[in-house]
Amino acid sequence: MTGQEIVFALLGAVAVGSGIMVVTTRQLVHAALWLVLSFGALAGMYLVLTAEFVAWVQVLIYVGAIVVLLLFGIMLTRAPIGTAPDLDSGNRWIAAAVAVATAALLVTVVVMGFGDAKMPLEAGGGSAEALGSAVFRTWVLPFEVLSVLLLSALVGAIVLSRTDIGGARSRGKGD
Amino acid sequence: MSPLAAAPAADPTLQDFGKDPWWLIGGKVLVIFVFLVLTVLISMWVERRVIGRMQLRVGPNRHGPFGLLQGLADGVKLALKEDIVPRQVDKVVFVLAPILSAVPAFISFIIIPFGPNVSVFGHQTALQGTDLPVAVLLVLAMSSIGVYGIVLAGWSSMSPYSLLGGLRSSAQVISYEIAMGLSFVAVFLFAGSMSTSDIVAAQHDTWFAVLLFPSFVVYVITMMGESNRIPFDLPEGEGELVGGFHTEYSSLKFAMFFLAEYINLATLSALATTLFLGGWRAPAPISTVWAGANSGWWPVLWFMVKLWLFIFFFIWLRGSLPRVRYDQLMKLGWKILMPFSLGWILLVAAIRAFKNEGYDMQQITIVTVVVAAAILGGTILWEMLRGGEGEEGAAAEAGAAPADPFAGGFPVPPLDAPHYHGRTAGTGARAATIGTRSEEVTRGTH
């Protein structure tokens, strides 16, 4: 095993371990912090694979924006310090079974698909230039479809959060 | 200055990095650390003296010559104070928060270029910690990790003031980070790179502050928002939130928040210098009459001058501007800076694309100006036509439901205003005006 592989495996262990902590901890804010650690380990794995751009975007978007928004939401609604008893769910064994089954399926697919085939790391393969040309030349249609999906989610959120537009009270309709 | 360093090939590029021996890397990190700590001490003193001057008082002048040792004395005092940890707080997070605030602030300075290649003990190296192909993203990522320090400090302190400060701060920093990232895009488009040394090299002819002036303006405004300082210092507005997110902190933990704030100030100023003001390059009149101004150790001087001009600008604004209201802050960030940045990026990208296609630059400029003027004129016309209606509606509404400011026995703002809930809380008299009210709200011009 080379040094790179050892670091990669360690980061993977950190990501999976902190992922388990996210769903098992009884403290709401701690769960968000474990999620940060998991995302950070993932960014580290991208760095090991020489994809610098992806790694820093991972930190910027997932660590810096999404989890901060999660924390923001938690604090705006309720943010108990200490353990919260209602964080447990009766479905936990079913959920665990589904999670294990999904993981087993993914691992099986990857092992059957690639086995122990190895690809050489090419420096600059994950750089901004390579990624930009891949996204905007080869994969431009999926990219645009995804952005339409995000837009519809955005519109949906606005419709849900605004009480003055909607079917029940047509009188309050604005424009 | 060695003759070798004066050669035009002295400008560092991305390929020059990652070749330093271990002692040089350690030395650079140490120098940057010491530089940041000294900058914090000096900028605290400069801030208090300059603000004092602007407010017609003296400022600290007792410790050392001109009071220069005041920062040191304050640091010792802070370190010797009792370290209070409130009961019932989440101790791990409470201790983690100041660390999360200070450490990223130190890290992001590693990619700031202080100067070109110089000779250190016979070893050619660039005056820059290191450089990455995505160096500017690193700064953005670090500032977004720094937000955790503030959010977690606010949450873990078990105090409503802290919580409110943390909430305000996280919302503010996230909003302004988007506009800040957008203001960088035009720079990346023109420099063709995200590495700071390449961006400085791309400004050898014209500074981006001149070429991309709108981006520069947007950056300077968002920089104020990111640094949580006046006029955008709502997270710690003394008048309303005591100390904001660090109300419950004392001793060295508080000192770390303080350190982080002033390092962020230096980082934002250094980033502005690097991205828009030509980095370590000498300003035009000096570099035209003196060929050696951009080589050797001299560029450190130009860099420092620009950096301190920016820090002075921060202090000047603090001395002259009042604090904005929170909804004004959010409105400025989301409704003005972001659409403006997007439009500007569209324009810059279109100009670049036409230039790459080989169109005449003059022709592009004329067409751009005509189109921009047409859009601007159309918008103004539209606003004038629409604005008349809005005033009418507002006047009608003002006549319909006069708010009673003394409803609870003492003057309070109307908490059931549609602005906060999207609808009125609904007594019989108010229900009649729902139609006009919601119409006014959805238009968003009030």
Side-chain angles (χ1 to χ4, degrees), chain B residues 47-346:
Chain B
E47 173 155 35
R48 292 171 73 175
R49 291 288 285 196
V50 171
I51 292 270
R53 191 87 195 150
M54 284 173 182
Q55 295 170 349
L56 296 181
R57 46 191 184 81
V58 182
N61 65 347
R62 294 287 126 179
H63 301 284
F66 307 107
L68 262 171
L69 297 181
Q70 179 71 40
L72 210 60
D74 281 346
V76 172
K77 183 195 77 176
L78 267 179
L80 294 177
K81 275 195 168 183
E82 185 187 357
D83 191 1
I84 299 169
V85 178
R87 209 146 46 94
Q88 290 185 328
V89 300
D90 190 331
K91 288 229 174 57
V92 179
V93 181
F94 190 76
V95 176
L96 190 69
I99 300 172
L100 268 182
S101 179
V103 171
F106 275 106
I107 292 177
S108 40
F109 222 84
I110 198 114
I111 53 95
I112 297 294
F114 286 79
N117 286 340
V118 292
S119 173
V120 180
F121 299 123
H123 203 94
Q124 282 288 318
T125 182
L127 282 175
Q128 181 174 357
T130 186
D131 201 5
L132 307 168
V134 288
V136 182
L137 274 191
L138 175 87
V139 177
L140 279 178
M142 284 306 136
S143 85
S144 67
I145 290 180
V147 180
Y148 278 98
I150 298 172
V151 174
L152 294 178
W155 172 76
S156 66
S157 298
M158 283 282 274
S159 147
Y161 291 128
S162 303
L163 186 65
L164 278 176
L167 280 176
R168 281 187 181 186
S169 171
S170 52
Q172 171 181 339
V173 175
I174 289 176
S175 319
Y176 276 70
E177 211 169 65
I178 300 172
M180 182 183 253
L182 288 175
S183 77
F184 292 158
V185 171
V187 172
F188 298 155
L189 277 175
F190 267 79
S193 172
M194 280 187 258
S195 99
T196 42
S197 59
D198 285 354
I199 289 173
V200 171
Q203 298 180 70
H204 64 90
D205 198 27
T206 321
W207 290 358
F208 285 148
V210 180
L211 204 59
L212 303 168
F213 186 69
S215 286
F216 181 56
V217 172
V218 170
Y219 176 77
V220 170
I221 297 173
T222 55
M223 169 168 115
M224 305 290 154
E226 282 277 302
S227 64
N228 288 338
R229 285 170 61 91
I230 283 181
F232 301 134
D233 70 334
L234 293 126
E236 43 187 292
E238 307 79 0
E240 357 177 333
L241 291 181
V242 191
F245 59 88
H246 55 60
T247 305
E248 303 293 337
Y249 280 87
S250 56
S251 188
L252 276 180
K253 296 200 191 77
F254 173 75
M256 278 171 103
F257 280 118
F258 217 65
L259 195 69
E261 184 188 329
Y262 279 86
I263 293 176
N264 279 333
L265 185 72
T267 307
L268 289 165
S269 305
L271 201 63
T273 307
T274 304
L275 292 183
F276 293 102
L277 295 185
W280 42 262
R281 292 183 177 277
I286 300 176
S287 58
T288 38
V289 298
W290 178 24
N294 277 332
S295 57
W297 290 89
W298 285 107
V300 179
L301 177 68
W302 317 135
F303 180 79
M304 289 298 157
V305 168
K306 291 174 190 175
L307 181 73
W308 278 101
L309 277 180
F310 249 103
I311 292 179
F312 176 77
F313 178 68
F314 263 113
I315 297 169
W316 189 11
L317 281 188
R318 180 177 167 182
S320 26
L321 289 181
R323 181 179 304 145
V324 299
R325 227 169 50 211
Y326 198 68
D327 59 324
Q328 292 169 334
L329 170 92
M330 282 296 164
K331 202 179 268 183
L332 178 70
W334 287 94
K335 291 187 177 172
I336 298 174
L337 290 181
M338 269 171 62
F340 176 76
S341 296
L342 283 174
W344 168 245
I345 291 167
L346 204 66

Side-chain angles (χ1 to χ4, degrees), chain A residues 27 29-30 33 36 52-53 56-57 59-60 63-65 67-69 71-72 75-76 79-81 128 162-164 169 171-172 174-175, chain B residues 88-90 93 132-134 137-138 140-142 144-145 147-148 151-152 155-156 158 163 167 170-171 174 194 421-423 434 438 442:
Chain A
Q27 305 196 26
V29 173
H30 285 197
L33 292 179
V36 169
E52 272 176 312
F53 181 73
W56 291 118
V57 167
V59 172
L60 193 61
V63 177
V67 182
V68 170
L69 280 182
L71 277 175
F72 193 71
M75 285 178 195
L76 267 186
I81 283 182
R162 271 183 59 175
T163 47
D164 56 335
R169 275 194 10 210
R171 197 164 59 96
D175 301 342
Chain B
Q88 290 185 328
V89 300
D90 190 331
V93 181
L132 307 168
V134 288
L137 274 191
L138 175 87
L140 279 178
M142 284 306 136
S144 67
I145 290 180
V147 180
Y148 278 98
V151 174
L152 294 178
W155 172 76
S156 66
M158 283 282 274
L163 186 65
L167 280 176
S170 52
I174 289 176
M194 280 187 258
H421 296 297
R423 62 175 172 205
I434 282 179
S438 59
T442 50

